[in-house]
Amino acid sequence: MSENFELALQLLGIGMVTVFTILLLVILIGNTIIKFVNRFIPEAPKVVSSRGRSSGGISSGKMAAIVAAVQMATNGKGRVTSIEKE
Amino acid sequence: MSENFELALQLLGIGMVTVFTILLLVILIGNTIIKFVNRFIPEAPKVVSSRGRSSGGISSGKMAAIVAAVQMATNGKGRVTSIEKE
Amino acid sequence: MSENFELALQLLGIGMVTVFTILLLVILIGNTIIKFVNRFIPEAPKVVSSRGRSSGGISSGKMAAIVAAVQMATNGKGRVTSIEKE
Amino acid sequence: MEILRKLYEMTAFSNLLDNPAPLFMLAVGVLLLYLGIKKQYEPLLLVPIGFGVILANLPGAGMGIVPGDFIELGDNKYMNLFEIAHEYGIMNFLYYSLIKTGLLPPIIFMGVGALTDFGPMLRNLKLSLFGAAAQLGIFTILLIAIAVGFAPNEAGSLAIIGGADGPTAIYTTIILAPHLLGPIAIAAYSYMALVPVIIPLVVRMTCSSKELKINMKEQDKLYPSKNVIKNMKAVKIAFPIVLGIVIAFFVPTSVPLLGMLLFGNLVKEIGANTLRLTDAASGPIMNAATIFLGLTVGATMTSDVFLDLKTIGIIVGGFFAFAISVFGGIFLVKGYNMFAKKKINPLIGATGLSAVPMASRVANEIALKYDTKNHVLQYCMASNISGVIGSAVAAGVLISFLG
Amino acid sequence: MEILRKLYEMTAFSNLLDNPAPLFMLAVGVLLLYLGIKKQYEPLLLVPIGFGVILANLPGAGMGIVPGDFIELGDNKYMNLFEIAHEYGIMNFLYYSLIKTGLLPPIIFMGVGALTDFGPMLRNLKLSLFGAAAQLGIFTILLIAIAVGFAPNEAGSLAIIGGADGPTAIYTTIILAPHLLGPIAIAAYSYMALVPVIIPLVVRMTCSSKELKINMKEQDKLYPSKNVIKNMKAVKIAFPIVLGIVIAFFVPTSVPLLGMLLFGNLVKEIGANTLRLTDAASGPIMNAATIFLGLTVGATMTSDVFLDLKTIGIIVGGFFAFAISVFGGIFLVKGYNMFAKKKINPLIGATGLSAVPMASRVANEIALKYDTKNHVLQYCMASNISGVIGSAVAAGVLISFLG
Amino acid sequence: MEILRKLYEMTAFSNLLDNPAPLFMLAVGVLLLYLGIKKQYEPLLLVPIGFGVILANLPGAGMGIVPGDFIELGDNKYMNLFEIAHEYGIMNFLYYSLIKTGLLPPIIFMGVGALTDFGPMLRNLKLSLFGAAAQLGIFTILLIAIAVGFAPNEAGSLAIIGGADGPTAIYTTIILAPHLLGPIAIAAYSYMALVPVIIPLVVRMTCSSKELKINMKEQDKLYPSKNVIKNMKAVKIAFPIVLGIVIAFFVPTSVPLLGMLLFGNLVKEIGANTLRLTDAASGPIMNAATIFLGLTVGATMTSDVFLDLKTIGIIVGGFFAFAISVFGGIFLVKGYNMFAKKKINPLIGATGLSAVPMASRVANEIALKYDTKNHVLQYCMASNISGVIGSAVAAGVLISFLG
Ligand code: NA
Ligand code: NA
Ligand code: NA
């Protein structure tokens, strides 16, 4: 039992040290990548391809216009399930 | 063979009795639940949560407006299944 | 080694002969089916059920109109993936 | 010449010369595809099954399911799945991991549950009883099949066709008589597709025009029911939970099927909070399961399995199982109507068979033919859905006694 | 009479007379369903788990998970999956192929990754540190559990509840103490659902109103950060790749979890070109995994497993693990604020716990209660997401030393 | 100090000191990610493969695929999947259940079939022949590889890269030379991504400007074809069924690939009645299969597998297999044009390679460069799709003789 307790004490130390080390590394890595990217590839690619699926980034005004257009063109029988950006 | 036939005869009895018992229980359980619910939780929850998916981030006001527009334009035959925002 | 090489030479022959045989068969089968269908079931079923979902039953003219509307509204960045009828 | 001989050996023509029976099976496969595609008989199942039959009977392709004893090592030990794949290919790998383990039918039932609405049944609970009567075909055909000489386990598998429920028939057969899986699955789905023929046939033979004109809605007005459901959502959530537990006490062997059905249904009724699960259960999981179930069940139909007198027995017996089940439901309605003031349309008995929802649609059309204002669909759905429970319970009984 | 005796034998009532404990477990299952459905405690998990508990405890249904030694043959040999299905049914087949192999938690983590946005964390990298401090509950409870008499492996499983992350807790328990899987999974998800209770509780006990009014945006204006991210997309793509490699050098045992999380995230950040993979990972794969994880984890909770003093230890210990983790995060903020000019709101420490994103929402509400203009959500998300990494790392440490 | 030593032991640094080769493999993984993400080379495959390479080479993480003989027990017995998971972790579990069994490539082919339209091919059936000629690279490289010293089975795996079809290459390699799976899959997908470079290169070396200006539509007007397809839907439904059966008689070993391709296609062409199956096959099933195929194939690339002279042979040989296949198609067109009045644009030969549909798009762009009105896309698609059949048949031949 006391042997196990010693193990637990050690793990308290090892564990917290490791977790802090890793999250310090997260900070370090994050900052390094940001600096690297800022210096070498500061421009975002032109084509937005973030999510692509369904009406991502399409303003609701435009959406309404589209929906209205669809309604008109289909005599109200169609519906827009999704509009994708390329 | 005649032994198997006897088994089959028994199963005809056991089977139909069991099936009727269970479906009588279905009726009993159903009625009990209905009575219980009618007495103790007669009100449906306020929030309609029928399908819920998508439309995340689109305000319910806007959503309602869109749905209404579609309804009007389609004589109630169209429906908006999803409008997604990023 | 030379035994393997002989095998490889044989396979060059067998392989190309087989591939040509199969693709000649593809042509033969295709033409036979076309002739058979043209003779015995020349009419397409009335209901178009190609994909069924998406844009099923919406005429391509209307579809084009919708697509154009979407193009306009989204500066060419959106596209209509599907329009469903009820 | 050497090269031509090698070419010939690569092909399947020598196999065909040795044993031309697969050619017949290929025709059976094409016939099933024809029924599924052109006749639109349960295409979701008959197309994969038909294609599976074809794949299994392409000589030399190694896509046919091998008999269970090929993978038995004796002493209750079996080849492992990796060895099965290695030795007998991907079809056997799929079959022995997904079907022979009994996995896919309950998985499909989970999806069925997520697509089922117990609402019509809850609104007309009394009509559930006809879902019990319409299991008569099962136990009658069991008796006849045994009398005719089928072994009890095979007779049970044949009989369950009368439950008019695909996953139930397949699950029962996996346990009782896996060697008959192909013909039984095909018979079950074919007769389900033939419900628009079978139900009118039995109805015409047993029901008078007057009976078929019984208008349920008018009966409801004449003799209104006392029950009003104030909070349907709560009822629908409690129902699968309580039902699952109670049925399990009586027929524990039905739990893999009914438990999963009711789980799927519960998840659906909860609504938005578990929508991800509902979508998965009724969408990709169920569809993928259907593909692999169909292909592998079809692939069990090698010529030596199919070209057997039992296949004829299954085809004939399956038909009568259906017909007797329909008759059972109708018969109970007739008996009920003799004593009750509030009459019931016998079509509601006929749909106790299950084969949801086609049976109900067919019954509704018949009713409308006799009286254009007599919509019985909602009432039929009550007995129709209860017939699913009925046949799963019947399957549990058969498994308990014959498994 | 004979027929009635057979009928009785088919039912589960004899089993219940022998051992009525399952009835209690059924009540536990119903309680979990109640929590999931009515109280909306993590319904995506608690509903399948609750139903799994019910299925497992239906006597005679054969849906309960059997202990691991039932499938051990000694000499590092195990029954194969087909034999497991054949002998113990589909639930054990699913459990031993999907859970006991350790497969589903990393698969779910892949989906979690595909739904995670590291953006808030990258914009406030420094705050990640609080995701380390908030692992304090794990190691503290480990110490206490061992002191109280838990075996080290069981104590590790119990302790990881303090990571406030379901898949991590389940993965760790599969490796360290699979016999405790049910209670630990339930405790983990229940306390995650109780975060809106636990966080306010600890905050109220430890933070002054003045601290809770610290406005992060104003602090940002007073002491602006130098870092501007010019190309977020590139950063977000590079981040999971580099992070995955570096963490793996330090804690290789965390790779199955963190590697899959970061893979899912990478695929999402690439965007349109891998959208098919993102959709699959975060949709059908994750949802199907959730269903089978929930059902089978629930099915481990047979009465002999649950009705054990350890279960109480897990419930009590799990609560304190959560509370101490929250405290750990807050405590580090307080320490930091003693030395730094740019103050941090202690709520950002509290969310280091993880339980994404509910913890952040709860924290935000608390902040708004003290100052209606103090929106801390984005800041909380930084420590919140880093808490996921923190607990996966902690799990790796526990697995390395106790596995 | 003791605590620091334990900490160090937990990390992977000692492993790295023993064997730094994984660092090189990590760089290979990052390179593949770069090609997939930035260069957009087949990102759906190269991203998972690249990440799989990284996971497999993280020391101590246990995510690398172990050689096949690790799981052989001799006497045609193998470890079971549960034991594999237990001993070697989840990646090996996935690899040995999904890949080594040969399952995923046919599954992906089912999805490919559900996304393929045989319409262009049926409208220009004659052009299918060029899909045969463009398999020349396969058998030529087979000859050369054997001459250079590759074992026949390895040479077959290398050669099939010239089929320009990912699942076919992977399936063939699983059967012939699984130890080369990583490099061959990567070479296959990389060169498919390089089709916009390889096709123009070969075209420029072999075709005159006059040939490239041959306008197919004008040729069609000059020499109209007699065939009109009156009922395309019926033709498209019958075609995969009949084709599947007939090809199987000649090359039964191609059935797992072609059978599943044609099944997927059939289900799609049936339309609405089997839409659920089409959606599942081309959506979640295929996407999930792609993720797991990519990750596990990548994970086979441990340093000892990759750092081998054969890898260079595969990279060089793969390139020439592609180039010779393109040449084969072009060469047959040239021969045909020498005798026929109705001329064919040699680009249609070049696309016989397959790599659908990118090859066709590339060819179309080349044609438009020489004549802005010369749209050859639909014609190219004919030979392009037939090239898929061609390489699956070639794979069948290789498997028959070398498997
Ligand atoms: Na039924
Ligand atoms: Na955490
Ligand atoms: Na090809």
Side-chain angles (χ1 to χ4, degrees):
Chain A
M1 181 57 63
S2 85
E3 190 187 319
N4 283 344
F5 189 77
E6 199 181 319
L7 173 68
L9 260 178
Q10 279 185 354
L11 272 176
L12 176 57
I14 292 179
M16 290 309 288
V17 166
T18 307
V19 173
F20 270 103
T21 309
I22 297 296
L23 282 159
L24 281 167
L25 276 168
V26 166
I27 297 172
L28 187 70
I29 292 168
N31 279 323
T32 311
I33 292 176
I34 290 170
K35 274 175 199 150
F36 180 90
V37 168
N38 281 354
R39 188 172 312 167
F40 297 105
I41 34 174
E43 285 171 64
K46 309 104 233 163
V47 186
V48 178
S49 64
S50 54
R51 253 252 114 181
R53 208 169 30 162
S54 54
S55 44
I58 293 178
S59 74
S60 53
K62 283 176 185 171
M63 186 69 193
I66 294 165
V67 169
V70 171
Q71 305 302 346
M72 253 178 22
T74 63
N75 292 324
K77 276 174 196 154
R79 69 191 156 102
V80 176
T81 35
S82 64
I83 296 176
E84 293 188 20
K85 263 182 145 181
E86 293 239 296
Chain B
M1 181 57 62
S2 86
E3 188 188 319
N4 283 344
F5 189 76
E6 200 181 318
L7 173 67
L9 261 178
Q10 279 186 354
L11 272 176
L12 176 56
I14 291 180
M16 290 310 287
V17 166
T18 308
V19 173
F20 270 102
T21 309
I22 296 296
L23 282 160
L24 282 167
L25 275 168
V26 166
I27 297 172
L28 186 71
I29 291 168
N31 279 323
T32 311
I33 291 175
I34 289 169
K35 274 175 200 150
F36 180 90
V37 167
N38 282 353
R39 186 172 314 166
F40 296 105
I41 34 173
E43 284 171 63
K46 311 104 235 168
V47 185
V48 178
S49 64
S50 55
R51 264 249 115 182
R53 200 168 35 161
S54 55
S55 55
I58 293 177
S59 75
S60 51
K62 280 180 188 164
M63 188 67 194
I66 293 167
V67 169
V70 171
Q71 295 284 7
M72 247 173 33
T74 63
N75 293 324
K77 277 174 195 152
R79 68 187 158 104
V80 175
T81 34
S82 65
I83 297 175
E84 291 185 24
K85 252 184 148 178
E86 285 253 294
Chain C
M1 181 57 62
S2 85
E3 190 188 318
N4 283 344
F5 190 77
E6 200 181 318
L7 173 68
L9 261 178
Q10 279 185 354
L11 272 176
L12 176 57
I14 292 179
M16 290 309 288
V17 166
T18 307
V19 172
F20 270 102
T21 308
I22 296 297
L23 282 160
L24 282 167
L25 275 168
V26 165
I27 296 173
L28 187 70
I29 291 167
N31 278 323
T32 311
I33 292 175
I34 290 170
K35 274 175 198 150
F36 180 90
V37 167
N38 281 353
R39 188 172 312 168
F40 297 105
I41 33 173
E43 285 171 63
K46 310 103 233 165
V47 186
V48 179
S49 63
S50 55
R51 256 250 113 184
R53 217 178 15 167
S54 57
S55 53
I58 292 178
S59 76
S60 52
K62 283 179 188 171
M63 188 66 193
I66 294 165
V67 169
V70 171
Q71 293 283 7
M72 249 172 31
T74 63
N75 293 326
K77 275 172 195 157
R79 70 188 156 103
V80 176
T81 36
S82 64
I83 295 174
E84 292 187 21
K85 255 181 150 178
E86 288 248 297
Chain D
M1 276 312 91
E2 171 72 4
I3 195 169
L4 282 182
R5 196 185 54 73
K6 283 197 174 174
L7 242 173
Y8 177 73
E9 271 173 13
M10 179 187 72
T11 70
F13 296 108
S14 57
N15 311 42
L16 273 181
L17 285 180
D18 289 353
N19 175 18
L23 288 177
F24 176 78
M25 293 311 297
L26 290 177
V28 171
V30 170
L31 173 67
L32 290 171
L33 287 180
Y34 175 81
L35 295 177
I37 297 169
K38 182 77 184 167
K39 292 285 176 188
Q40 311 201 13
Y41 285 10
E42 298 278 332
L44 286 175
L45 263 300
L46 283 197
V47 169
I49 289 178
F51 211 92
V53 172
I54 291 176
L55 290 178
N57 289 284
L58 294 170
M63 302 284 266
I65 303 305
V66 299
D69 48 312
F70 277 46
I71 69 141
E72 272 192 71
L73 306 173
D75 203 20
N76 222 16
K77 300 292 296 170
Y78 297 84
M79 284 171 70
N80 69 48
L81 294 172
F82 182 78
E83 290 164 352
I84 291 170
H86 194 261
E87 192 77 27
Y88 301 119
I90 57 171
M91 270 298 188
N92 282 287
F93 177 63
L94 288 170
Y95 175 78
Y96 281 103
S97 52
L98 301 178
I99 306 295
K100 196 72 194 309
T101 54
L103 184 64
L104 287 196
I107 296 296
I108 290 178
F109 247 46
M110 177 170 71
V112 170
L115 294 170
T116 296
D117 179 8
F118 281 121
M121 199 172 113
L122 288 165
R123 280 191 209 91
N124 290 284
L125 269 169
K126 217 174 49 184
L127 303 180
S128 307
L129 217 54
F130 304 111
Q135 309 311 321
L136 186 65
I138 296 175
F139 296 102
T140 312
I141 288 299
L142 174 71
L143 192 75
I144 294 172
I146 283 180
V148 166
F150 274 85
N153 61 331
E154 294 176 339
S157 281
L158 158 50
I160 198 65
I161 296 174
D165 192 282
T168 299
I170 290 171
Y171 184 77
T172 309
T173 305
I174 290 166
I175 294 175
L176 295 186
H179 57 290
L180 301 181
L181 193 49
I184 281 173
I186 288 165
Y189 282 106
S190 300
Y191 290 132
M192 280 165 68
L194 284 172
V195 149
V197 176
I198 298 174
I199 288 185
L201 188 77
V202 180
V203 165
R204 225 177 302 133
M205 285 168 61
T206 55
C207 300
S208 70
S209 156
K210 191 184 150 206
E211 284 174 314
L212 295 173
K213 282 182 182 163
I214 295 173
N215 188 315
M216 298 298 290
K217 274 178 199 151
E218 285 175 11
Q219 295 289 321
D220 271 355
K221 276 181 208 156
L222 287 173
Y223 312 95
S225 115
K226 291 149 289 176
N227 267 347
V228 181
I229 304 177
K230 293 185 189 162
N231 183 349
M232 185 52 116
K233 188 175 163 80
V235 172
K236 281 185 174 176
I237 287 174
F239 186 69
I241 302 172
V242 179
L243 191 67
I245 294 174
V246 174
I247 295 183
F249 286 149
F250 285 84
V251 195
T253 39
S254 70
V255 168
L257 284 174
L258 276 181
M260 293 306 273
L261 178 88
L262 295 170
F263 172 67
N265 185 253
L266 172 64
V267 160
K268 174 203 148 208
E269 295 302 348
I270 291 172
N273 279 337
T274 48
L275 188 60
R276 278 182 158 268
L277 309 184
T278 312
D279 281 354
S282 64
I285 293 177
M286 182 166 158
N287 297 342
T290 305
I291 289 176
F292 294 120
L293 182 98
L295 285 176
T296 51
V297 164
T300 60
M301 294 249 296
T302 50
S303 56
D304 38 325
V305 168
F306 187 80
L307 299 176
D308 188 303
L309 263 181
K310 281 172 194 160
T311 303
I312 295 171
I314 288 165
I315 290 169
V316 175
F319 175 80
F320 282 103
F322 260 67
I324 297 172
S325 284
V326 175
F327 170 75
I330 291 172
F331 189 74
L332 184 67
V333 174
K334 284 170 172 274
Y336 178 90
N337 283 349
M338 281 168 59
F339 301 100
K341 262 191 290 185
K342 185 175 177 178
K343 306 297 181 196
I344 292 174
N345 192 312
L347 287 167
I348 287 149
T351 54
L353 170 78
S354 63
V356 184
M358 207 201 281
S360 292
R361 282 197 214 134
V362 169
N364 194 44
E365 278 171 33
I366 298 176
L368 291 174
K369 213 180 284 173
Y370 286 83
D371 174 357
T372 52
K373 285 181 183 166
N374 191 8
H375 295 272
V376 298
L377 189 70
Q378 287 305 306
Y379 301 92
C380 289
M381 283 305 288
S383 64
N384 209 180
I385 294 165
S386 75
V388 176
I389 298 173
S391 42
V393 168
V397 173
L398 294 176
I399 291 168
S400 295
F401 283 85
L402 306 173
Chain E
M1 278 311 93
E2 171 74 5
I3 197 170
L4 282 182
R5 195 185 55 73
K6 282 197 175 174
L7 243 173
Y8 177 73
E9 270 173 13
M10 178 187 73
T11 70
F13 295 108
S14 57
N15 311 42
L16 272 182
L17 285 180
D18 289 354
N19 175 19
L23 289 178
F24 175 79
M25 294 310 297
L26 290 177
V28 171
V30 170
L31 173 67
L32 290 171
L33 288 180
Y34 175 81
L35 294 177
I37 297 169
K38 182 77 184 167
K39 292 285 176 186
Q40 311 200 15
Y41 284 11
E42 298 279 332
L44 286 174
L45 263 300
L46 284 197
V47 169
I49 289 178
F51 211 93
V53 172
I54 291 176
L55 289 177
N57 289 283
L58 295 169
M63 302 286 268
I65 303 305
V66 299
D69 48 314
F70 277 46
I71 69 142
E72 271 194 72
L73 306 173
D75 204 20
N76 221 15
K77 302 290 297 170
Y78 297 84
M79 283 171 72
N80 69 48
L81 294 171
F82 182 77
E83 291 164 352
I84 290 170
H86 194 261
E87 193 77 28
Y88 301 119
I90 58 171
M91 270 298 188
N92 282 287
F93 177 63
L94 288 170
Y95 175 78
Y96 281 101
S97 52
L98 301 178
I99 306 295
K100 195 73 195 306
T101 54
L103 184 64
L104 287 196
I107 297 295
I108 289 177
F109 246 47
M110 177 171 70
V112 170
L115 294 170
T116 295
D117 179 8
F118 281 122
M121 198 172 112
L122 288 164
R123 280 191 209 91
N124 289 284
L125 269 170
K126 218 174 47 183
L127 302 181
S128 308
L129 218 53
F130 304 111
Q135 310 310 320
L136 186 65
I138 297 175
F139 297 102
T140 312
I141 288 300
L142 175 71
L143 192 74
I144 293 172
I146 284 182
V148 167
F150 273 86
N153 61 330
E154 294 176 338
S157 280
L158 158 50
I160 198 65
I161 296 174
D165 193 282
T168 300
I170 290 172
Y171 184 77
T172 308
T173 305
I174 290 166
I175 294 175
L176 295 186
H179 57 292
L180 300 181
L181 194 48
I184 281 173
I186 288 165
Y189 282 106
S190 300
Y191 290 132
M192 280 164 68
L194 284 173
V195 149
V197 176
I198 298 174
I199 288 186
L201 188 78
V202 180
V203 166
R204 224 176 303 134
M205 284 167 61
T206 54
C207 301
S208 71
S209 156
K210 191 185 150 204
E211 284 174 313
L212 295 173
K213 283 182 181 163
I214 293 174
N215 188 314
M216 298 298 289
K217 275 179 197 148
E218 285 175 13
Q219 294 290 321
D220 270 356
K221 276 181 208 155
L222 285 174
Y223 311 96
S225 114
K226 292 149 287 176
N227 267 347
V228 181
I229 303 177
K230 294 185 187 162
N231 182 350
M232 184 54 116
K233 188 175 163 78
V235 172
K236 280 184 173 177
I237 287 174
F239 186 68
I241 301 172
V242 179
L243 191 67
I245 294 175
V246 174
I247 294 183
F249 287 148
F250 285 84
V251 194
T253 39
S254 70
V255 167
L257 284 174
L258 275 181
M260 293 306 274
L261 179 87
L262 295 170
F263 173 67
N265 186 253
L266 172 64
V267 160
K268 174 204 148 208
E269 294 302 348
I270 291 172
N273 279 337
T274 48
L275 188 60
R276 278 181 157 269
L277 309 185
T278 313
D279 281 354
S282 63
I285 293 177
M286 182 167 157
N287 297 342
T290 304
I291 289 177
F292 294 120
L293 181 98
L295 285 176
T296 51
V297 163
T300 61
M301 293 247 298
T302 50
S303 55
D304 38 324
V305 167
F306 187 79
L307 298 177
D308 189 303
L309 263 181
K310 281 173 195 160
T311 302
I312 295 172
I314 288 166
I315 291 169
V316 174
F319 175 80
F320 282 103
F322 259 68
I324 298 172
S325 283
V326 174
F327 171 75
I330 292 173
F331 189 74
L332 184 66
V333 174
K334 284 170 173 274
Y336 178 90
N337 282 349
M338 280 167 60
F339 301 101
K341 263 191 291 184
K342 184 175 179 178
K343 305 297 181 197
I344 292 175
N345 192 312
L347 287 165
I348 287 148
T351 54
L353 171 78
S354 63
V356 185
M358 207 202 280
S360 293
R361 282 196 214 134
V362 169
N364 194 45
E365 276 171 34
I366 299 176
L368 290 174
K369 213 179 286 172
Y370 285 85
D371 172 357
T372 52
K373 287 181 181 165
N374 191 8
H375 294 272
V376 299
L377 189 71
Q378 288 303 307
Y379 301 93
C380 289
M381 282 305 287
S383 63
N384 209 180
I385 294 165
S386 77
V388 176
I389 299 173
S391 41
V393 168
V397 172
L398 294 176
I399 291 167
S400 295
F401 283 86
L402 307 173
Chain F
M1 277 312 90
E2 171 73 4
I3 196 169
L4 282 182
R5 194 185 55 74
K6 284 196 174 174
L7 242 174
Y8 177 73
E9 270 172 15
M10 179 187 74
T11 70
F13 296 110
S14 58
N15 311 42
L16 272 183
L17 285 180
D18 288 354
N19 175 18
L23 287 177
F24 175 78
M25 293 310 297
L26 290 177
V28 171
V30 170
L31 173 67
L32 290 171
L33 288 180
Y34 174 81
L35 294 177
I37 297 169
K38 182 77 184 169
K39 292 285 176 187
Q40 311 201 14
Y41 284 12
E42 299 278 332
L44 286 174
L45 263 301
L46 284 197
V47 169
I49 289 178
F51 210 92
V53 173
I54 291 176
L55 289 178
N57 289 285
L58 294 171
M63 302 285 266
I65 303 306
V66 299
D69 47 313
F70 278 46
I71 69 142
E72 271 194 73
L73 305 173
D75 204 20
N76 223 15
K77 300 292 296 170
Y78 296 85
M79 283 171 72
N80 69 49
L81 294 171
F82 182 77
E83 290 163 352
I84 290 170
H86 194 261
E87 193 77 27
Y88 301 119
I90 58 171
M91 270 298 188
N92 282 286
F93 177 63
L94 288 170
Y95 175 79
Y96 281 102
S97 52
L98 301 178
I99 307 295
K100 195 74 196 305
T101 54
L103 184 64
L104 286 195
I107 296 295
I108 290 177
F109 246 45
M110 177 170 71
V112 170
L115 294 170
T116 296
D117 179 7
F118 281 122
M121 198 173 113
L122 287 165
R123 281 190 208 92
N124 290 284
L125 269 169
K126 217 174 49 184
L127 302 180
S128 306
L129 217 53
F130 303 111
Q135 310 310 321
L136 186 65
I138 296 175
F139 296 103
T140 313
I141 288 300
L142 175 72
L143 192 75
I144 294 172
I146 284 181
V148 168
F150 273 85
N153 61 331
E154 293 176 337
S157 281
L158 158 50
I160 198 65
I161 296 174
D165 193 281
T168 300
I170 290 172
Y171 184 77
T172 309
T173 305
I174 289 166
I175 294 176
L176 296 185
H179 57 291
L180 301 181
L181 194 49
I184 281 173
I186 288 165
Y189 282 106
S190 300
Y191 291 133
M192 280 165 68
L194 284 172
V195 150
V197 176
I198 298 174
I199 289 186
L201 188 77
V202 180
V203 166
R204 225 176 302 132
M205 284 166 60
T206 55
C207 301
S208 70
S209 156
K210 191 185 152 207
E211 284 174 314
L212 296 173
K213 283 183 181 162
I214 294 174
N215 188 314
M216 299 298 290
K217 275 179 197 150
E218 285 175 11
Q219 295 289 320
D220 270 356
K221 276 181 207 155
L222 286 173
Y223 312 95
S225 116
K226 290 148 289 176
N227 268 347
V228 181
I229 304 177
K230 293 184 188 163
N231 182 349
M232 185 53 117
K233 188 175 162 78
V235 172
K236 280 185 175 177
I237 287 174
F239 186 68
I241 301 172
V242 179
L243 191 67
I245 294 175
V246 174
I247 294 183
F249 287 149
F250 285 84
V251 195
T253 39
S254 69
V255 167
L257 283 174
L258 276 181
M260 293 306 274
L261 178 87
L262 295 170
F263 173 67
N265 185 253
L266 172 64
V267 159
K268 175 205 147 206
E269 295 302 347
I270 292 172
N273 279 336
T274 49
L275 188 59
R276 277 180 158 269
L277 309 185
T278 312
D279 282 353
S282 64
I285 293 178
M286 183 164 154
N287 298 343
T290 304
I291 289 177
F292 295 119
L293 182 98
L295 285 177
T296 51
V297 163
T300 61
M301 294 248 297
T302 50
S303 56
D304 37 327
V305 167
F306 187 80
L307 299 177
D308 188 305
L309 264 181
K310 281 172 194 160
T311 303
I312 295 172
I314 288 165
I315 291 170
V316 174
F319 175 80
F320 283 103
F322 260 67
I324 298 172
S325 284
V326 175
F327 170 75
I330 292 173
F331 189 74
L332 184 66
V333 174
K334 285 171 173 272
Y336 178 90
N337 282 349
M338 281 167 60
F339 301 101
K341 263 191 289 184
K342 186 174 178 178
K343 305 299 182 194
I344 292 173
N345 192 312
L347 287 167
I348 286 149
T351 54
L353 170 77
S354 62
V356 185
M358 207 203 279
S360 293
R361 281 198 213 133
V362 169
N364 194 45
E365 276 172 34
I366 299 177
L368 290 174
K369 214 180 284 173
Y370 286 84
D371 173 357
T372 52
K373 286 181 182 165
N374 192 8
H375 294 273
V376 298
L377 188 71
Q378 287 303 308
Y379 301 92
C380 289
M381 282 305 287
S383 63
N384 209 180
I385 294 165
S386 76
V388 176
I389 298 173
S391 41
V393 167
V397 173
L398 295 177
I399 291 168
S400 296
F401 283 85
L402 307 173

